[in-house]
């Protein structure tokens, strides 16, 4: 073999070694890219689930129908108003019942306090003229 053929073989071996290294690097880069794509896919899936939970699409459709939006707000407002009225009535009735029971017990401090409240209410009713 001549020096020239040896150089050709050396160069070709060097190119082969460089090619093998490039292939190995490509395989590791492909593996890294696959891992990155897998992570991106998982993140996109998580974001899409979160968006489904917030119902942004339903809200956007509702904004495109203003009469439906007005109707739903009217119904929800009436429901809240009736609920608050019923809740306050129940609460006030319970408080009045408890005060009547406490007044019937004739407790010294609480009885005087309730009597003062009754006197104030009676005076207010007598003074009010319609």
């Amino acid at each position: 073999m001549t020096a020239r053929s040896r150089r050709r073989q050396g160069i070709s071996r060097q190119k082969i070694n460089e090619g093998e290294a490039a292939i190995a690097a490509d395989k590791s880069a492909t593996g890294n890219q696959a891992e990155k794509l897998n992570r991106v896919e998982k993140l996109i899936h998580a974001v899409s689930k979160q968006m489904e939970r917030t119902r942004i699409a339903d809200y956007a459709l509702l904004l495109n129908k203003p009469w439906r939006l007005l109707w739903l707000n009217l119904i929800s407002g009436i429901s809240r108003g009736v609920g608050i009225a019923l809740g306050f009535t129940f609460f006030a009735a319970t408080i009045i019942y408890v005060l009547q029971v406490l007044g019937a017990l004739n407790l010294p401090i609480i009885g005087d306090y309730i009597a003062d409240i009754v006197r104030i209410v009676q005076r207010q009713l007598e003074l009010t003229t319609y």
Side-chain angles (χ1 to χ4, degrees), residues 13-29:
R13 284 184 190 158
Q14 184 180 7
K15 286 184 179 179
I16 290 172
N17 290 339
E18 287 174 1
E20 288 174 355
I23 290 171
D26 285 343
K27 286 182 181 177
S28 66

Side-chain angles (χ1 to χ4, degrees), residues 10-130:
I11 291 173
S12 63
R13 284 184 190 158
Q14 184 180 7
K15 286 184 179 179
I16 290 172
N17 290 339
E18 287 174 1
E20 288 174 355
I23 290 171
D26 285 343
K27 286 182 181 177
S28 66
T30 304
N32 288 339
Q33 287 177 350
E35 290 174 16
K36 287 179 184 178
L37 288 175
N38 193 15
R39 277 190 266 145
V40 168
E41 182 182 357
K42 286 179 182 177
L43 287 173
I44 290 173
H45 189 63
V47 168
S48 68
K49 278 187 176 180
Q50 186 67 26
M51 287 181 72
E52 286 176 13
R53 274 190 247 142
T54 58
R55 297 183 181 184
I56 291 174
D58 293 340
Y59 183 68
L61 289 174
L62 191 61
L63 288 176
N64 289 330
K65 298 178 181 178
W67 288 109
R68 179 166 163 75
L69 180 64
L70 287 172
W71 175 251
L72 289 176
N73 283 332
L74 178 70
I75 296 297
S76 66
I78 291 171
S79 300
R80 282 190 194 109
V82 169
I84 288 170
L86 291 175
F88 181 74
T89 303
F90 179 75
F91 180 72
T94 305
I95 295 296
I96 290 172
Y97 177 74
V98 169
L99 288 176
Q100 285 178 347
V101 169
L102 289 176
L105 291 176
N106 240 354
L107 298 173
I109 298 172
I110 297 174
D112 293 339
Y113 180 69
I114 293 171
D116 288 339
I117 292 174
V118 169
R119 274 190 234 117
I120 292 169
V121 170
Q122 285 176 348
R123 273 191 227 139
Q124 188 66 29
L125 288 174
E126 289 172 2
L127 294 175
T128 305
T129 57
Y130 296 101

